Amino acid sequence: VSTTKVSKIINKKDKDISQGTIDRVNNIMRERNYVPSTIARSMVTKKTKTIGIIIPDIRNPFFPELTRGAEDMAHTLGYNLMICNTDDDIKKERQYMDILKKKMVDGIIFTASSAEAAISHISKTDPPLVLVDRDIDVPNLKGRIIVNNINGGYIAAKHLIDRGCKKIAIIAGSKSSLPSVHRYEGYVKALEENGIKLDKELCRFGSFKSEYGYEMAMEILNSHNDVDGIFCASDMIAIGAMKAVIEKGLKIPADVKIVGFDDIYISAYLNPALTTVKQPIYSIGSEAAKLLIESIEDSKEKTSIVLETELVIREST
C-alpha cells in the first residue's frame, strides 16, 4: 500500500480505507515491532501529544488521585502525561517548568500550592497552562479548575458549631495558598454568623502536612485547654491533629471534635473515622486535563470551572 495509506492508518484517519487493509497494516506493524516516532511526528505537526502536570507532594494521597484523573482523561483523548513532583520546593518548580518546555509538551497543568514564584517567569511563547485552585493571570492561561473552598470551610466550621463546639481552632496551610485562605474565610464566616468571636490565637497557618497538624494541635491544646473543636484544612493535617489529641489523653469526639478537608481514601479507615469536607479530587484532575487538551486542539477561550464540596460526616464529630 502507499505511504499515505499507512500514515492515515497510524494516525486513525482511515475512514476511507477498507478494514482488511487496516488489519493487514496493523498486523505487519506488530510483527515488526514498529512504533511511530513521536519526535518525527512533532517535527511536522509541532505537537507531541504530551502534557505535563506539576504537583507539590506525591506522598499526599490527594495528589495521586488528582493525577490519576488527569492521566485517565489524557489517555482517553490520546495524550500522554508527564508527572513532575516538586516536594514544595520553588526551585524545583522552576526547573520542572523549564524541563517540560524543553520536552515540548503541548500544555501544562499546574497544581502547586504556592505557584507565584514558578509562574512569574512564564512568557507568551510557553505552552498553554491550566491552573488548579490558583487565581493568577499569566500568559497562555487557558483556564482554571476552582473548588468552592470558601463554602467548604464554612460547612466544616458550621458542622462543629451544630455539634455544640464553642471554642473552635483552625489549622491551615500556607497563607500563600489560595485554598488555605479561602477555607479560612469560610471558617470565619461560620463563626460570625453564629455569634462566636474570632480568636486569632486559635488560627494557625503553615503547611498541609501531618507533622504540622500534630505540632499545631499540640501547641493549641497546651495553651487553650478549653478548645472543643478543630477544623483542619486538609485530611493530612487532621491525621496529625488526631494523634496530638489522643496523646493529650483526650477523646475524639467526646472532648474534641475534628473535621478535615479533602476526603482522601484513608479518612474513612482512621480510628475514629474522620468527618471531612469532600473534594471531587479525581474530577479536578480529569477536568483540568480535558480543559487543557480542548484548548490545545480548538484554541478555546479562557474558562473557569468551579467544583463544589460536600460534608461527609463520620465518627470524629
Side-chain angles (χ1 to χ4, degrees):
V1 299
S2 68
T3 304
T4 302
K5 276 192 176 182
V6 174
S7 178
K8 284 184 175 182
I9 292 168
I10 290 173
N11 291 289
K12 306 299 182 184
K13 296 178 180 179
D14 50 15
K15 292 181 181 179
D16 60 337
I17 302 174
S18 71
Q19 189 60 49
T21 300
I22 293 171
D23 292 341
R24 188 153 56 95
V25 171
N26 283 329
N27 287 336
I28 291 170
M29 285 195 294
R30 278 193 295 271
E31 289 170 4
R32 295 174 178 267
N33 295 317
Y34 173 75
V35 178
S37 170
T38 303
I39 295 175
R41 279 180 172 181
S42 65
M43 291 176 69
V44 176
T45 65
K46 307 302 181 185
K47 301 290 184 184
T48 60
K49 303 292 281 187
T50 301
I51 60 174
I53 183 169
I54 298 177
I55 59 174
D57 186 6
I58 195 73
R59 297 171 301 176
N60 184 334
F62 175 88
F63 292 106
E65 185 173 348
L66 184 150
T67 302
R68 179 62 184 272
E71 197 278 333
D72 284 350
M73 179 58 70
H75 179 74
T76 298
L77 298 178
Y79 280 69
N80 299 310
L81 182 71
M82 290 183 64
I83 303 168
C84 302
N85 175 58
T86 68
D87 294 320
D88 281 316
D89 185 326
I90 291 175
K91 185 178 179 181
K92 286 183 71 174
E93 286 180 354
R94 287 180 174 272
Q95 290 173 342
Y96 276 129
M97 275 286 189
D98 291 338
I99 288 170
L100 290 175
K101 286 185 282 186
K102 290 175 182 177
K103 295 290 186 182
M104 296 178 62
V105 297
D106 297 331
I108 298 172
I109 300 169
F110 202 99
T111 68
S113 58
S114 180
E116 289 89 342
I119 290 180
S120 61
H121 67 298
I122 289 178
S123 69
K124 293 180 181 179
T125 60
D126 290 335
L129 194 73
V130 166
L131 301 180
V132 174
D133 265 340
R134 304 304 302 175
D135 190 17
I136 306 166
D137 283 320
V138 293
N140 283 348
L141 179 63
K142 295 302 181 181
R144 300 182 180 89
I145 306 298
I146 300 170
V147 174
N148 192 343
N149 286 295
I150 294 178
N151 185 62
Y154 176 84
I155 61 177
K158 181 66 165 57
H159 176 67
L160 288 169
I161 294 167
D162 291 344
R163 284 290 196 264
C165 296
K166 304 295 184 184
K167 195 93 167 181
I168 303 170
I170 179 172
I171 306 174
S174 169
K175 285 186 177 180
S176 67
S177 163
L178 190 67
S180 182
V181 171
H182 280 177
R183 291 167 197 176
Y184 171 76
E185 290 176 4
Y187 158 85
V188 171
K189 179 183 176 183
L191 296 187
E192 289 176 347
E193 286 188 1
N194 289 273
I196 298 176
K197 185 178 179 180
L198 177 66
D199 185 348
K200 291 292 184 67
E201 291 186 4
L202 300 181
C203 304
R204 299 289 191 278
F205 292 90
S207 165
F208 285 113
K209 298 182 185 297
S210 296
E211 300 90 329
Y212 181 74
Y214 172 82
E215 291 170 6
M216 292 303 102
M218 192 64 79
E219 188 178 287
I220 290 168
L221 294 170
N222 285 336
S223 58
H224 299 82
N225 58 16
D226 56 345
V227 165
D228 54 5
I230 303 176
F231 167 40
C232 300
S234 78
D235 289 349
M236 295 299 287
I237 291 175
I239 290 170
M242 291 174 74
K243 175 177 171 62
V245 171
I246 292 169
E247 285 188 6
K248 290 290 293 182
L250 301 171
K251 294 182 179 179
I252 305 170
D255 300 316
V256 180
K257 295 174 173 57
I258 295 179
V259 176
F261 203 108
D262 289 336
D263 195 30
I264 59 176
Y265 71 91
I266 198 172
S267 301
Y269 300 98
L270 297 173
N271 187 18
L274 179 65
T275 293
T276 186
V277 176
K278 179 180 180 65
Q279 289 199 77
I281 305 172
Y282 183 91
S283 294
I284 295 171
S286 63
E287 289 293 334
K290 182 180 179 183
L291 177 58
L292 180 60
I293 292 169
E294 286 179 348
S295 70
I296 291 167
E297 297 188 342
D298 301 326
S299 298
K300 291 182 65 176
E301 293 296 318
K302 184 169 64 177
T303 305
S304 290
I305 298 173
V306 180
L307 302 176
E308 291 298 330
T309 58
E310 62 177 297
L311 184 69
V312 179
I313 300 174
R314 297 193 181 105
E315 300 165 355
S316 66
T317 55

